[in-house]
Amino acid sequence: MERRLREPGGIDWKPPARLRVSPGPLLGLLLGLALFAAASLALFRQGPGNIDAIVPAKQRAEAAGLALIVGLILFSTLSAVLHAAWRRRWMRREDELKAEIAALRGRLDRAELFPSAESQIVAAWGGADEAEIEGDTSLVTDASDARGVLAFGSWLAQEKAQNLADSVARLRARGEAFRCSVTTLAGRCLDIEGRPVNGCAVMRIRDVDGERLEVIRLQQLRARTIGELESLWAMLDAAPNPAWVRNEEGRLTRVNAAYARAVEARDQADAVARGVELLDRQAREMSAQARAAGSIWRGRAPAIVVGERRIFDIIDATAGAASVGMAMDVSEVESARDALAREMQAHARTLDQLSTAVVIFDRSKRLVFHNAAYRQLWGLDQAWLEQRPSDSEILDRLRAARLLPEQADFRAWQASLFAAYQSLETEEQAWYLPDGRTLRVVVNPNPQGGVTYLFDDVTERFHLQSQFNAAIRVQSETLDTLKEGVAVFGSDGRLKLFNPAFAELWALRPEQLDDQPHIDRVAHICAPLFVADSDWDELRAVVAGLPDHRLGFESRFARRDGSVLDCAAAPLPDGATLLTFIDATAGVSVERALTERNQALIDAEKLRNDFVHHVSYELRSPLTNIIGFIHLLGDPAVGPLNAKQLEYAGYVTKSSSALLAIINDILDLASIDADAMELSLDEVDIAETMQAAAEGVQDRLAESNLALRVIAMDGIGGFVADGKRIRQILFNLLSNAIGFSSPGQTIDLAALRRGDEIVFKVSDQGRGIPPDVVDHIFDRFKTHTAGSRHRGVGLGLSIVRSFVELHGGRILIQSAPLEGTTVTCIFPAASVNLESDARGRERERNGG
């Protein structure tokens, strides 16, 4: 089979053809020789005896010679024929070879011109280990020795030199071709190609520049880009997140394996071919709008993945005319985040209910959580805490507000506190604040970094402990100094605690009580002092009995020595019983004396009331006569009086009327005190009653140059009451207001209905009532007229209060010096009969 090789320079070279001989003459010659040899061999194999028997010896010699001669003649003839034929062929072949040699020499000359026309080096290895190197060795080495070309490490980086050496070794060993582009240490770009040529290993090194260099650079870039792209898609196929590429029309051109699984396609090609979309229309439209605007679209959208609704975070970016996108499944993250948020909210709500202040800082010392107790403990602003201040910022603010313990070196103390951020152990401290509070502080490092502070205000606990210890000491001292006998018997009936007064009251010696005697033994010792043995039996039942309900017990014992003891038994929470004994001998004597004196006072008061009632009646009759006769004297029909007489008659009339009013008030009070006052209840028109009271003081208003303003709510109507007493109440209040008002001022009489109540108010602009007088303003026979024209015996307001309370109402007074006085009377609107209750309150105020 003819083989052709492409020599450097592009010349095809064919090796010379082998000599070819025609097989016909050669076969005839060989056949003749074979026949001659076979005949001779047959004769010799028969042996001498056989030959002698057949042919005589002489004839045999002649025959052999003849055969030899014939064979030689045949051989010579054939040789001559073959020689002539071969000679002619050799002559023709020689001419052909001469022509071919001439052509090859021409080709060789042309081939030698090509390497010199291009900067390159050719190294060829034949059977020997030494390589034949031709070309411009200055491409790779400055040495004169051409063998420096094969020292790859001298002009290539170590890794590339090793790779080239391995490629050359494989070319020489297995005829494996290679081609690569390298950059020398000098920065020259070379194209190296190795291949077997006619049993030889040939390596060609060519200088690359110009367009060829750009082509190689682009080829390298393309190969690198394709490799990176394939690596990227291999990674995307291994990733669980769906990814896709769209063309400028928005159609899918490539997807990864996760996308195909998500849309339930057979493979990526099937998903692209069918154009199966993972995202809904709205998300795709928003992505298309972002691409049209040349921006990256990021969003969150739901998608159906294998029949299940999932939530994806999507990013879609333009890449030239196309676009690439990826969707990350955040369903589990969102679920976990929601669960974590709910749990954190639940924990936050729980922590907010705690009285312990809790605050958490992260590893960067920033505030991440605090509860309401922490905010209230330090009085920090919620808005400022929501800005996540650092631990040091909070401490600086608390220090500025003097809410931290006083420290000689604050920075050193702060550094020791912050050491908990690098610690693994929980630390407990006590902070004594300048404002007197004491805090228990627990500093707990968090496993994920940061610190949790717990603040407990133990001020009250410390105070309670100290108070408890002090109370125990005070209790012990108090019990020892009490005059009352105190004894505590346990649930087993034995004496647990007693004070000296108990032993002294019952004449008990200390040695009798030191061994915690039983209640029975104590009763036996104290029995001689009791008048009746049943007294201790009751105490024993309270102390040592087993009742269903433990109740207290109080009793008074009279002893044989004439003394009286008040005994009280109280059950204690621990099952014990507290017994107290008080020497009530003096108290009983005083009580008897007070009872007798009280009875004497009651009798004297009754006598006084009877006397006042009798005298009042006795005075009113002649006083009425005097008033009547004065009116007759003033009548012109009786006879004329001069001006002076009329003036004196007016004075007598005025004084008699005032005295009659006082007597009437005294009689009313006496009737109230004697429970004899009865109300004549009837429907009272409020407006008419107010007008009637106002008309009764018109002459005094005119005399004092005062104005009265009557104000009644529209449609106020009426209520059930004693009309006469209501008018008397209003008249007394108006008279009192007139007496304490200055000329030119105004007095207000107002009435209103407020729910189920009727309210009357009388207001003046007078001097007011001093605060120390207000509490006694309703007392009988007490009047405070300093600085006013009012004169009276102090019964008007007392009668007003009595009448108001008889109606089941109440009276209020508001006053301040130089600001006037307002008296408010409140009556029930419904018909009620509360005279008895009012009388009872009146008796309580009057001391029985």
Side-chain angles (χ1 to χ4, degrees):
M1 184 175 182
E2 185 176 300
R3 297 191 304 175
R4 292 178 180 269
L5 297 177
R6 173 74 65 177
E7 281 294 314
I11 300 177
D12 291 335
W13 177 78
K14 179 178 70 175
R18 296 179 181 176
L19 294 177
R20 294 190 293 273
V21 180
S22 175
L26 183 59
L27 290 177
L29 176 60
L30 293 176
L31 182 59
L33 290 174
L35 290 175
F36 176 76
S40 299
L41 184 61
L43 288 177
F44 282 104
R45 281 184 177 179
Q46 289 181 1
N50 294 334
I51 297 175
D52 290 341
I54 300 173
V55 181
K58 184 178 180 180
Q59 294 178 351
R60 289 197 302 270
E62 294 177 351
L66 181 59
L68 180 59
I69 293 171
V70 172
L72 291 173
I73 292 172
L74 291 174
F75 177 75
S76 298
T77 302
L78 291 173
S79 299
V81 172
L82 290 174
H83 176 71
W86 287 351
R87 184 176 180 81
R88 288 193 298 273
R89 290 187 176 92
W90 289 341
M91 293 298 291
R92 290 194 301 271
R93 183 58 181 164
E94 184 178 2
D95 294 338
E96 294 174 356
L97 291 177
K98 287 180 179 179
E100 188 172 358
I101 289 172
L104 289 175
R105 285 178 177 173
R107 290 184 179 182
L108 179 60
D109 292 339
R110 291 192 298 271
E112 288 177 351
L113 292 175
F114 285 112
S116 61
E118 185 178 2
S119 296
Q120 62 179 350
I121 302 172
V122 178
W125 289 270
D129 291 336
E130 293 294 330
E132 297 180 4
I133 301 173
E134 297 290 342
D136 185 7
T137 60
S138 63
L139 291 175
V140 297
T141 180
D142 295 333
S144 58
D145 189 359
R147 287 176 297 183
V149 174
L150 301 181
F152 304 131
S154 64
W155 50 277
L156 286 177
Q158 181 177 358
E159 182 179 357
K160 293 183 178 180
Q162 184 62 40
N163 293 338
L164 182 57
D166 294 341
S167 298
V168 171
R170 290 194 297 271
L171 171 64
R172 295 182 60 189
R174 301 192 294 270
E176 183 177 336
F178 69 90
R179 186 170 186 174
C180 63
S181 297
V182 298
T183 301
T184 65
L185 297 177
R188 186 187 295 271
C189 295
L190 302 178
D191 183 21
I192 303 176
E193 182 182 9
R195 64 171 58 186
V197 178
N198 196 23
C200 297
V202 179
M203 180 182 67
R204 183 172 61 176
I205 304 174
R206 292 191 298 174
D207 187 14
V208 179
D209 57 2
E211 295 182 358
R212 178 63 181 169
L213 178 62
E214 182 65 19
V215 171
I216 291 177
R217 189 186 67 79
L218 293 177
Q219 288 176 348
Q220 292 176 346
L221 179 60
R222 178 177 178 275
R224 185 168 63 252
T225 302
I226 292 175
E228 291 176 355
L229 182 62
E230 293 302 324
S231 299
L232 177 61
W233 276 104
M235 183 190 68
L236 290 176
D237 284 337
N241 301 322
W244 61 87
V245 178
R246 298 181 186 274
N247 58 16
E248 57 185 0
E249 298 177 357
R251 296 179 180 175
L252 294 173
T253 58
R254 187 165 184 177
V255 298
N256 67 344
Y259 188 101
R261 290 193 300 270
V263 299
E264 299 183 81
R266 292 192 304 273
D267 51 23
Q268 295 98 305
D270 178 56
V272 173
R274 292 193 293 135
V276 184
E277 294 289 351
L278 174 65
L279 306 179
D280 57 14
R281 180 183 299 276
Q282 182 180 1
R284 295 199 305 272
E285 290 177 353
M286 295 174 64
S287 175
Q289 293 174 1
R291 291 198 303 271
S295 61
I296 299 175
W297 181 71
R298 293 181 176 88
R300 177 168 294 183
I304 304 301
V305 178
V306 195
E308 183 179 354
R309 188 176 186 274
R310 312 288 290 180
I311 302 297
F312 289 93
D313 274 346
I314 305 163
I315 181 171
D316 195 300
T318 57
S323 67
V324 294
M326 177 177 286
M328 289 162 284
D329 190 351
V330 294
S331 302
E332 295 180 358
V333 175
E334 287 299 315
S335 299
R337 183 180 288 113
D338 293 341
L340 178 60
R342 290 192 298 270
E343 185 174 356
M344 291 180 63
Q345 291 175 359
H347 289 173
R349 288 193 298 270
T350 302
L351 292 176
D352 274 339
Q353 304 301 319
L354 296 179
S355 59
T356 299
V358 181
V359 62
I360 301 175
F361 294 89
D362 59 13
R363 63 182 63 200
S364 62
K365 299 184 179 65
R366 285 284 176 184
L367 176 68
V368 295
F369 174 80
H370 70 281
N371 65 350
Y374 176 80
R375 186 173 63 254
Q376 296 168 0
L377 175 66
W378 301 114
L380 297 175
D381 183 54
Q382 174 70 21
W384 184 70
L385 291 176
E386 289 177 353
Q387 298 175 6
R388 297 186 60 196
S390 65
D391 198 351
S392 60
E393 291 174 346
I394 294 177
L395 290 179
D396 289 340
R397 174 169 286 199
L398 295 179
R399 183 190 181 195
R402 295 186 55 81
L403 292 176
L404 291 180
E406 296 293 344
Q407 301 293 332
D409 189 347
F410 177 76
R411 296 304 172 191
W413 176 80
Q414 186 183 50
S416 65
L417 184 65
F418 287 169
Y421 285 91
Q422 287 78 37
S423 176
L424 298 177
E425 301 295 332
T426 300
E427 183 180 359
E428 185 172 336
Q429 302 177 3
W431 290 7
Y432 301 97
L433 306 186
D435 58 4
R437 291 182 297 172
T438 302
L439 300 183
R440 172 180 170 267
V441 183
V442 178
V443 186
N444 184 27
N446 299 328
Q448 68 275 15
V451 168
T452 299
Y453 294 98
L454 304 177
F455 298 91
D456 279 324
D457 189 348
V458 295
T459 307
E460 185 177 357
R461 188 178 72 183
F462 282 4
H463 287 174
L464 289 177
Q465 288 179 348
S466 61
Q467 290 175 1
F468 175 76
N469 295 332
I472 292 297
R473 292 192 298 270
V474 170
Q475 180 183 17
S476 177
E477 295 294 335
T478 302
L479 289 177
D480 290 344
T481 57
L482 283 178
K483 298 301 181 180
E484 296 82 2
V486 178
V488 177
F489 289 87
S491 58
D492 56 355
R494 292 188 171 274
L495 182 64
K496 304 295 183 181
L497 177 68
F498 66 95
N499 66 343
F502 174 77
E504 183 179 352
L505 282 175
W506 295 103
L508 298 173
R509 297 187 303 276
E511 60 271 13
Q512 293 177 319
L513 303 176
D514 289 342
D515 59 348
Q516 297 185 354
H518 194 269
I519 183 67
D520 292 338
R521 181 179 171 188
V522 174
H524 177 72
I525 296 174
C526 299
L529 294 175
F530 276 95
V531 176
D533 295 338
S534 60
D535 294 337
W536 267 104
D537 293 339
E538 295 178 359
L539 288 177
R540 183 186 180 285
V542 172
V543 172
L546 297 174
D548 294 336
H549 300 284
R550 301 181 67 216
L551 301 175
F553 169 78
E554 293 183 358
S555 180
R556 174 168 289 180
F557 301 147
R559 300 198 305 184
R560 295 182 185 274
D561 57 0
S563 63
V564 177
L565 299 182
D566 282 340
C567 175
L572 300 180
D574 60 351
T577 303
L578 172 67
L579 297 182
T580 59
F581 297 91
I582 301 175
D583 188 354
T585 305
V588 170
S589 300
V590 172
E591 181 181 355
R592 291 171 183 168
L594 290 177
T595 301
E596 295 173 355
R597 183 176 180 180
N598 185 57
Q599 185 61 41
L601 290 175
I602 292 174
D603 294 340
E605 183 181 8
K606 184 176 182 303
L607 180 61
R608 183 200 66 186
N609 292 336
D610 292 341
F611 173 76
V612 169
H613 192 269
H614 179 72
V615 169
S616 297
Y617 272 106
E618 292 297 329
L619 288 176
R620 188 162 62 171
S621 297
L623 187 59
T624 303
N625 294 333
I626 293 173
I627 294 174
F629 285 121
I630 291 298
H631 280 295
L632 288 175
L633 289 175
D635 190 359
V638 177
L641 295 178
N642 57 32
K644 203 64 167 175
Q645 291 173 340
L646 287 175
E647 181 182 357
Y648 293 157
Y651 289 152
V652 173
T653 301
K654 189 174 181 179
S655 299
S656 301
S657 298
L659 182 58
L660 181 62
I662 294 173
I663 294 173
N664 289 334
D665 290 341
I666 293 174
L667 290 175
D668 290 337
L669 290 176
S671 299
I672 293 173
D673 293 339
D675 293 338
M677 175 66 71
E678 292 184 3
L679 298 178
S680 299
L681 299 177
D682 197 359
E683 185 71 21
V684 177
D685 187 280
I686 297 174
E688 292 181 358
T689 303
M690 295 171 64
Q691 193 63 37
E695 291 176 355
V697 295
Q698 286 299 324
D699 55 343
R700 298 185 61 185
L701 290 171
E703 180 182 351
S704 300
N705 192 20
L706 298 174
L708 175 63
R709 187 167 47 194
V710 179
I711 305 170
M713 186 175 67
D714 294 339
I716 191 170
F719 71 110
V720 177
D722 188 333
K724 177 183 176 182
R725 301 306 179 186
I726 298 298
R727 285 192 300 274
Q728 188 175 353
I729 291 171
L730 299 180
F731 179 83
N732 287 353
L733 293 177
L734 290 174
S735 299
N736 191 72
I738 291 171
F740 286 94
S741 297
S742 300
Q745 294 181 346
T746 301
I747 300 173
D748 292 331
L749 172 61
L752 58 92
R753 184 181 295 272
R754 187 172 60 193
D756 294 335
E757 295 178 335
I758 300 297
V759 180
F760 291 96
K761 288 188 176 181
V762 176
S763 304
D764 62 61
Q765 301 171 350
R767 300 176 59 86
I769 303 174
D772 57 335
V773 178
V774 172
D775 294 337
H776 306 284
I777 199 67
F778 294 108
D779 293 348
R780 298 180 182 180
F781 301 105
K782 288 187 178 181
T783 181
H784 305 276
T785 61
S788 67
R789 297 178 295 103
H790 179 73
R791 296 294 182 268
V793 295
L795 294 177
L797 292 180
S798 178
I799 291 175
V800 166
R801 184 175 67 175
S802 299
F803 285 162
V804 170
E805 291 180 352
L806 282 175
H807 283 82
R810 60 190 185 277
I811 186 169
L812 306 174
I813 187 167
Q814 296 175 343
S815 181
L818 304 178
E819 294 184 5
T821 303
T822 299
V823 181
T824 304
C825 297
I826 304 173
F827 297 92
S831 177
V832 292
N833 187 11
L834 299 176
E835 294 88 342
S836 58
D837 294 339
R839 295 189 184 103
R841 290 194 297 269
E842 185 73 19
R843 285 195 301 272
E844 291 175 0
R845 285 197 303 271
N846 296 332

